């Protein structure tokens, strides 16, 4: 497994929950986290998912994600 970080457009706990609905279908809840206290609202995910797939999943939830 690898750990990747992404800048996201999440702004609040509701945004994190919405992204989580999508991510939780592919990885367990303890494998990802979004830090809303940082300006980039960083999503850290540890999984076998390719980075492009993580970005797609966040977009499916209605948000933007960019690899950092």
């Amino acid at each position: 497994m690898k750990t990747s970080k992404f800048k996201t457009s999440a702004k609040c706990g509701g945004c994190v929950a919405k992204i989580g609905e999508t991510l939780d279908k592919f990885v367990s809840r303890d494998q990802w986290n979004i830090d809303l206290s940082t300006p980039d609202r960083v999503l850290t995910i540890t999984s076998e998912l390719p980075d492009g797939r993580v970005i797609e999943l966040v977009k499916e939830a209605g948000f933007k994600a960019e690899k950092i």
Side-chain angles (χ1 to χ4, degrees):
M1 285 211 248
K2 66 179 176 60
T3 299
S4 300
K5 293 184 182 268
F6 302 86
K7 176 180 177 179
T8 72
S9 61
K11 292 182 171 58
C12 65
C15 299
V16 173
K18 186 73 174 164
I19 293 169
E21 288 176 15
T22 305
L23 288 178
D24 288 347
K25 295 175 187 172
F26 298 90
V27 296
S28 67
R29 179 60 184 98
D30 64 346
Q31 290 180 286
W32 67 271
N33 181 59
I34 298 178
D35 185 354
L36 294 176
S37 68
T38 63
D40 289 338
R41 292 152 180 98
V42 176
L43 161 64
T44 304
I45 185 167
T46 302
S47 75
E48 295 297 329
L49 290 174
D51 293 341
R53 183 65 178 134
V54 174
I55 291 170
E56 287 174 12
L57 292 171
V58 174
K59 284 184 181 177
E60 283 177 26
F63 299 89
K64 295 178 185 175
E66 175 184 327
K67 178 88 165 93
I68 52 174

